[in-house]
């Protein structure tokens, strides 16, 4: 390596807490790509890191709050949305982003999610959907597809999975998108859109967990999971999220909802101002 | 047979194709191989070299083929690769 190369710094280094690198995520884990796309979105929008708050819950992806070089909080399991709601209402000028797992947001934290979306709290939720509880050993959860093998469904899963984009849209989110970890550019664009929108924005990222999901489902490496995303993804922007299914042969991705609605915080402040002048 | 009417663009001399510099932060790499697999120009390949973590970082086959699409930078989960435009002020 030449001296010049040794001096070269990664363009997104300033978004990371260097002393915590390398991150704990496995080789080829999609969580690293989500962190990368998030950093790129902040860079391209030229957002001051002092105005960003990243909140995460428990799980592999939950570690992300310790890696971004912004104010952040690693909450208890399932509670990042509750914490983020408080942060946003207390300081409306902040951009509050929740980045968490499918288990954290839709199993133990499911109620927080649907009600924050219904109230249109102005927070951005990025969900790393790896179809299982990664950190605790790959148990099946509410997003595990029917018939998938996991450590706790050794004969195949017999439960139906949540369709997260449909759930978010039906609950009232103003922006809903789904991409896979391979769609790095469109994912970054969606994160940028979400960051600029007022209201509850939801971006689902289908993320590969080769160690704990792929290995049990005939995809031994991260590359084979990425190839599955490449072959199975079908972009259907603004199609009916109810029909955006995920199966071994097809993953419907795209932007599904992009509407305008006043946020909870705005209505709250307007109400307060009105009552104070009366 | 269709008439072949292509010609050399008039401004071909003026247009400079950007040259790329590919940087690999070897010790940050965990060896997932995404940059190698998804590079549209096959700029990289697997190597036998071991980094401090015991994984194999990619090796550059032909930097001149890089079209600066930036996909490797974006898809790397470990912030271990990036491309920049070569500074050609003094010629390259
Ligand atoms: C109250 C509570 N219940 C259960 C757990 C155990 N637990 C830790 S991580 C986790 C699952 C996380 O899964 P997910 O949100 O999908 O994240 P991933 O690890 O897959 O990224 C569970 C159940 C816990 N830490 N706290």
């Amino acid at each position: 390596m030449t001296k010049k190369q040794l001096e070269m710094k990664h363009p997104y280094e300033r978004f990371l807490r260097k002393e915590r690198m390398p991150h704990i995520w496995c080789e080829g884990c999609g969580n690293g790509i989500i962190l990368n796309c998030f950093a790129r979105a902040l860079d391209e929008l030229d957002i001051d890191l002092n105005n960003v708050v990243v909140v995460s819950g428990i799980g592999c992806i939950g570690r992300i709050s310790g890696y971004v070089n912004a104010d952040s909080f690693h909450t208890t399991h399932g509670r990042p949305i509750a914490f983020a709601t408080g942060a946003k209402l207390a300081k409306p000028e902040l951009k509050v982003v929740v980045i968490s797992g499918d288990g954290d947001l839709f199993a133990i934290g499911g109620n927080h999610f649907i009600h924050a979306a219904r109230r249109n709290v102005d927070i951005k939720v990025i969900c790393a959907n790896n179809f299982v509880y990664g950190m605790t050993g790959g148990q099946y959860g509410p997003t595990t597809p029917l018939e998938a093998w996991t450590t706790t469904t050794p004969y195949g899963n017999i439960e139906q999975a949540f369709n997260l984009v449909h759930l978010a849209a039906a609950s009232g989110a103003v922006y809903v998108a789904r991409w896979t970890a391979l769609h790095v550019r469109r994912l970054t664009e969606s994160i940028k859109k979400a960051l600029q929108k007022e209201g509850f924005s939801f971006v689902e990222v289908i993320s590969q967990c080769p160690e704990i999901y792929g290995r049990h489902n005939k995809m031994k490496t991260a590359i084979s999971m990425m190839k599955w995303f490449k072959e199975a993804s079908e972009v259907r922007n603004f199609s009916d999220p109810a029909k955006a299914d995920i199966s071994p042969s097809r993953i419907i991705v795209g932007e599904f909802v992009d509407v305008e609605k006043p946020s909870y915080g705005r209505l709250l402040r307007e109400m307060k101002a009105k009552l104070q002048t009366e | 047979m269709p008439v072949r009417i292509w010609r050399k663009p008039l401004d071909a001399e003026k247009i400079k194709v950007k040259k790329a510099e590919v940087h690999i932060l070897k010790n940050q790499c965990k060896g997932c191989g995404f940059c190698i697999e998804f590079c549209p120009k096959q700029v990289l390949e697997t190597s036998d070299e071991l980094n401090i973590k015991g994984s194999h970082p990619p090796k550059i086959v032909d930097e001149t083929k890089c079209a600066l699409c930036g996909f490797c930078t974006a898809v790397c989960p470990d912030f271990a690769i990036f491309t920049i435009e070569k500074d050609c002020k003094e010629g390259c």
Side-chain angles (χ1 to χ4, degrees):
Chain A
M1 221 190 285
T2 63
K3 194 161 165 275
K4 196 174 156 215
Q5 266 176 320
L6 281 171
E7 282 165 9
M8 288 307 285
K9 277 192 183 150
H10 194 280
Y12 302 143
E13 204 184 85
R14 69 187 178 97
F15 297 100
L16 306 173
R17 292 189 203 174
K18 244 189 116 189
E19 69 281 7
R20 296 211 172 198
M21 291 287 136
H23 52 60
I24 58 151
W25 299 319
C26 305
E27 159 191 335
C29 173
N31 293 345
I33 301 180
I34 297 173
L35 178 59
N36 193 331
C37 292
F38 182 60
R40 178 179 285 243
L42 292 176
D43 186 55
E44 287 178 6
L45 289 178
D46 207 10
I47 293 178
D48 182 1
L49 274 177
N50 289 321
N51 293 331
V52 179
V53 178
V54 177
V55 189
S56 69
I58 302 298
C60 297
I61 182 77
R63 301 296 286 255
I64 202 163
S65 55
Y67 298 138
V68 282
N69 197 11
D71 284 337
S72 59
F73 197 71
H74 195 170
T75 68
T76 45
H77 201 17
R79 311 294 172 239
I81 288 180
F83 183 90
T85 304
K88 182 69 193 180
L89 294 181
K91 276 205 158 208
E93 68 274 20
L94 297 177
K95 292 222 179 281
V96 183
V97 188
V98 170
I99 309 182
S100 211
D102 49 311
D104 186 80
L105 290 170
F106 294 95
I108 189 168
N111 253 322
H112 293 292
F113 183 89
I114 55 173
H115 291 286
R118 175 183 60 80
R119 297 199 286 180
N120 198 21
V121 182
D122 190 7
I123 57 174
K124 323 293 150 208
V125 179
I126 301 171
C127 173
N129 182 1
N130 58 3
F131 309 120
V132 283
Y133 294 156
M135 181 159 266
T136 44
Q139 295 85 351
Y140 81 102
T143 51
T144 310
L146 196 67
E147 295 174 356
W149 290 287
T150 70
T151 48
T152 48
T153 55
Y155 307 107
N157 183 23
I158 52 168
E159 291 185 20
Q160 303 286 337
F162 265 144
N163 174 348
L164 302 185
V165 287
H166 184 35
L167 183 68
S171 305
V174 293
Y175 181 75
V176 178
R178 174 197 280 153
W179 299 108
T180 75
L182 185 70
H183 294 91
V184 282
R185 296 215 191 282
R186 300 193 225 207
L187 171 59
T188 309
E189 287 310 311
S190 275
I191 296 176
K192 278 164 71 179
K193 253 196 191 170
L195 281 167
Q196 288 168 297
K197 259 193 103 72
E198 173 184 332
F200 190 92
S201 310
F202 177 64
V203 180
E204 175 185 1
V205 191
I206 306 294
S207 168
Q208 70 277 21
C209 176
E211 274 307 310
I212 271 162
Y213 183 80
R215 219 153 41 86
H216 296 280
N217 290 280
K218 298 185 186 150
M219 290 171 282
K220 284 199 176 130
T221 60
I223 288 185
S224 56
M225 290 206 77
M226 289 285 250
K227 282 188 180 156
W228 169 45
F229 295 162
K230 191 172 169 183
E231 279 150 26
S233 305
E234 213 178 290
V235 182
R236 286 226 203 125
N237 284 322
F238 299 104
S239 62
D240 182 0
K243 296 195 182 112
D245 46 352
I246 299 175
S247 68
S249 59
R250 203 168 63 164
I251 304 171
I252 305 286
V253 294
E255 292 178 274
F256 297 97
V257 178
D258 189 354
V259 293
E260 306 295 329
K261 250 193 273 183
S263 70
Y264 176 76
R266 175 194 291 272
L267 293 177
L268 183 72
R269 284 190 299 281
E270 279 174 10
M271 174 75 77
K272 209 171 136 192
K274 195 177 133 208
L275 294 177
Q276 276 167 350
T277 50
E278 264 170 22
Chain B
M1 216 180 87
V3 192
R4 293 173 150 192
I5 48 165
W6 73 62
R7 58 171 171 77
K8 206 172 144 196
L10 295 173
D11 54 359
E13 265 82 56
K14 270 187 259 160
I15 299 229
K16 283 215 176 77
V17 180
K18 291 176 185 169
K19 297 226 165 79
E21 245 176 61
V22 182
H23 292 275
I24 301 167
L25 305 170
K26 287 186 183 164
N27 285 333
Q28 241 150 278
C29 175
K30 286 183 187 155
C32 67
F34 293 163
C35 54
I36 303 169
E37 178 70 32
F38 297 110
C39 173
K41 297 280 185 184
Q42 284 86 42
V43 172
L44 305 156
E45 69 177 17
T46 39
S47 72
D48 295 328
E49 191 185 336
L50 282 175
N51 67 8
I52 48 165
K53 287 203 279 296
S55 46
H56 302 288
K59 127 173 139 213
I60 300 166
V61 192
D62 185 358
E63 202 171 51
T64 58
K65 281 201 281 183
C66 173
L68 279 164
C69 74
F71 195 78
C72 56
T73 318
V75 85
C76 176
D78 299 287
F79 298 86
I81 187 168
F82 62 96
T83 54
I84 51 169
E85 198 187 319
K86 214 177 223 162
D87 181 12
C88 286
K89 265 187 230 124
E90 283 140 39
C92 35

